[in-house]
Amino acid sequence: MLDINKRIELINTLLEQDTEQSLTYAALECRLTLEYLCYERFKLYFSYLSQNDLENWQPKHIIKQISDQINDDVSKEFSISVSAEKINGRTPKAKEEFESIEYTSLGTQSELKLNRLHSLWHGLSGVALHIPVPSISSGNINIYGEKERIRKKVVDVISFLSGIKGNLLMGGSFGEDYSFNCYACSTKIKRPVESLLDTTVLSCINPKCKESYVIKKDKNDDFEVIRSIIKFSCPGCNQDLEVPLRYFQDLLFDQTLNIRCGKCDMLSEVVMRPLMKSTEASVPSR
Ligand SMILES: [Zn+2]
Ligand SMILES: [Zn+2]
């Protein structure tokens, strides 16, 4: 877990140096710290979310996606306590019964205010980490941004970081998980049952694996896992050739995918090209 006080100390030292360079460097350190805070939480959910399924790489959006699809505790504040008291398989029934048990505190996860974090993260790059594209009216090009604007943003980040007091991070989910093993690489793939929709599309979490799946929920809340593949017939022996769909997602126009048949060793090529289909023109009724 990131030592936030150490980060603040480093950023403050750069602020005190008070040069254009040291302030720019302070802005960079701020931005990296904000990214780290998000990514260290994302890391705890690796077993639930494939990098391939990330909708947006920006730190805030990754945490938002975990919150929407896996567990919204990821950005919330909460404390965890455990009890050493044996309850012998009995579950306390009422709130009072829970509260009557003696607990030892494990720690607190701090809230991560995502909108504020995102606006600071964005603001830092605006004031310090890019040279604005010049225009006819912008005058000289400067390597560094305006000192006072950078300082203000860095001070805002320090105040944001100072508010994060947690000493614990928790990943995963308390509820029941639905899991299965990847067809190709046997890696366990899982999602909290309550997060699964009628149809959920997900990829294998192994970064070297190209498999992806559709999980379908039926009326009885049973799940069916369907491998996302495209089938071809081998021209040599008619064997079914199954190619994971994700191989095609990376193909560009006119690019070729080579497929070798495991049975007769024949090499086939699949070329990525537009396919035109037409439907019968509908005749307007009179
Ligand atoms: Zn896999
Ligand atoms: Zn074949």
Side-chain angles (χ1 to χ4, degrees), residues 234 236-239 261 263-266:
C234 170
C237 70
N238 274 331
Q239 168 89 349
C261 173
K263 198 173 162 198
C264 75
D265 210 34
M266 178 176 270

Side-chain angles (χ1 to χ4, degrees), residues 39 41-51 54 66 70 172 188 190 204-206:
Y39 294 157
R41 294 193 188 207
F42 169 43
K43 202 163 178 266
L44 298 172
Y45 289 84
F46 273 178
S47 58
Y48 286 89
L49 185 62
S50 163
Q51 282 216 347
L54 292 178
I66 295 170
I70 297 162
K188 190 174 180 182
K190 59 183 178 179
C204 176
I205 57 159
N206 174 357

Side-chain angles (χ1 to χ4, degrees), residues 17-49:
Q17 290 173 17
D18 197 31
T19 63
E20 283 177 325
Q21 287 93 331
S22 75
L23 288 170
T24 305
Y25 183 23
L28 178 64
E29 291 287 358
C30 285
R31 200 164 139 113
L32 297 176
T33 305
L34 297 176
E35 291 184 3
Y36 195 106
L37 287 175
C38 291
Y39 294 157
E40 70 176 351
R41 294 193 188 207
F42 169 43
K43 202 163 178 266
L44 298 172
Y45 289 84
F46 273 178
S47 58
Y48 286 89
L49 185 62

Side-chain angles (χ1 to χ4, degrees), residues 187-207:
T187 302
K188 190 174 180 182
I189 299 170
K190 59 183 178 179
R191 279 286 164 95
V193 167
E194 61 175 25
S195 75
L196 289 170
L197 311 168
D198 290 345
T199 303
T200 305
V201 179
L202 48 81
S203 304
C204 176
I205 57 159
N206 174 357

Side-chain angles (χ1 to χ4, degrees), residues 10-257:
L10 168 72
I11 297 163
N12 269 328
T13 312
L14 293 163
L15 269 189
E16 281 160 20
Q17 290 173 17
D18 197 31
T19 63
E20 283 177 325
Q21 287 93 331
S22 75
L23 288 170
T24 305
Y25 183 23
L28 178 64
E29 291 287 358
C30 285
R31 200 164 139 113
L32 297 176
T33 305
L34 297 176
E35 291 184 3
Y36 195 106
L37 287 175
C38 291
Y39 294 157
E40 70 176 351
R41 294 193 188 207
F42 169 43
K43 202 163 178 266
L44 298 172
Y45 289 84
F46 273 178
S47 58
Y48 286 89
L49 185 62
S50 163
Q51 282 216 347
N52 184 67
D53 292 343
L54 292 178
E55 290 156 6
N56 188 319
W57 67 271
Q58 293 183 336
K60 166 196 161 173
H61 291 289
I62 292 182
I63 300 298
K64 182 82 179 39
Q65 189 177 345
I66 295 170
S67 176
D68 292 344
Q69 295 180 0
I70 297 162
N71 186 352
D72 61 3
D73 284 334
V74 64
S75 60
K76 285 185 183 163
E77 177 177 315
F78 56 82
S79 298
I80 298 185
S81 303
V82 287
S83 165
E85 226 173 284
K86 279 193 180 157
I87 53 169
N88 298 327
R90 172 182 61 89
T91 308
K93 295 220 161 23
K95 195 171 161 238
E96 291 73 29
E97 210 179 329
F98 269 107
E99 285 170 353
S100 69
I101 300 169
E102 210 172 291
Y103 294 97
T104 310
S105 167
L106 287 183
T108 298
Q109 174 177 291
S110 186
E111 181 188 2
L112 208 50
K113 291 184 171 124
L114 290 181
N115 288 339
R116 179 74 182 133
L117 180 143
H118 187 71
S119 121
L120 291 168
W121 179 81
H122 223 55
L124 287 163
S125 74
V127 296
L129 303 174
H130 293 287
I131 298 179
V133 179
S135 72
I136 198 163
S137 56
S138 60
N140 292 336
I141 302 173
N142 295 314
I143 285 282
Y144 299 110
E146 283 173 43
K147 261 175 79 181
E148 280 322 300
R149 286 181 73 205
I150 303 176
R151 169 177 290 281
K152 191 178 172 304
K153 200 54 85 182
V154 169
V155 168
D156 285 350
V157 174
I158 292 176
S159 135
F160 176 81
L161 294 176
S162 308
I164 301 176
K165 299 283 185 208
N167 56 357
L168 163 150
L169 290 175
M170 190 199 74
S173 101
F174 280 123
E176 188 193 344
D177 282 336
Y178 176 74
S179 70
F180 61 97
N181 292 326
C182 174
Y183 173 86
C185 74
S186 301
T187 302
K188 190 174 180 182
I189 299 170
K190 59 183 178 179
R191 279 286 164 95
V193 167
E194 61 175 25
S195 75
L196 289 170
L197 311 168
D198 290 345
T199 303
T200 305
V201 179
L202 48 81
S203 304
C204 176
I205 57 159
N206 174 357
K208 291 185 184 136
C209 179
K210 288 282 194 187
E211 293 288 334
S212 61
Y213 299 88
V214 177
I215 302 180
K216 287 202 160 161
K217 181 160 73 174
D218 68 16
K219 282 176 201 151
N220 305 321
D221 278 358
D222 287 329
F223 296 105
E224 185 193 1
V225 177
I226 302 157
R227 230 180 125 205
S228 298
I229 48 168
I230 296 183
K231 275 191 186 174
F232 299 93
S233 187
C234 170
C237 70
N238 274 331
Q239 168 89 349
D240 273 347
L241 303 172
E242 297 176 336
V243 185
L245 190 68
R246 280 177 52 205
Y247 276 106
F248 296 94
Q249 288 171 348
D250 301 330
L251 280 188
L252 302 172
F253 174 65
D254 245 0
Q255 215 175 342
T256 303
L257 187 74

Side-chain angles (χ1 to χ4, degrees), residues 3-14:
D3 185 340
I4 295 180
N5 289 333
K6 249 191 177 160
R7 302 297 303 160
I8 294 177
E9 220 173 277
L10 168 72
I11 297 163
N12 269 328
T13 312
L14 293 163

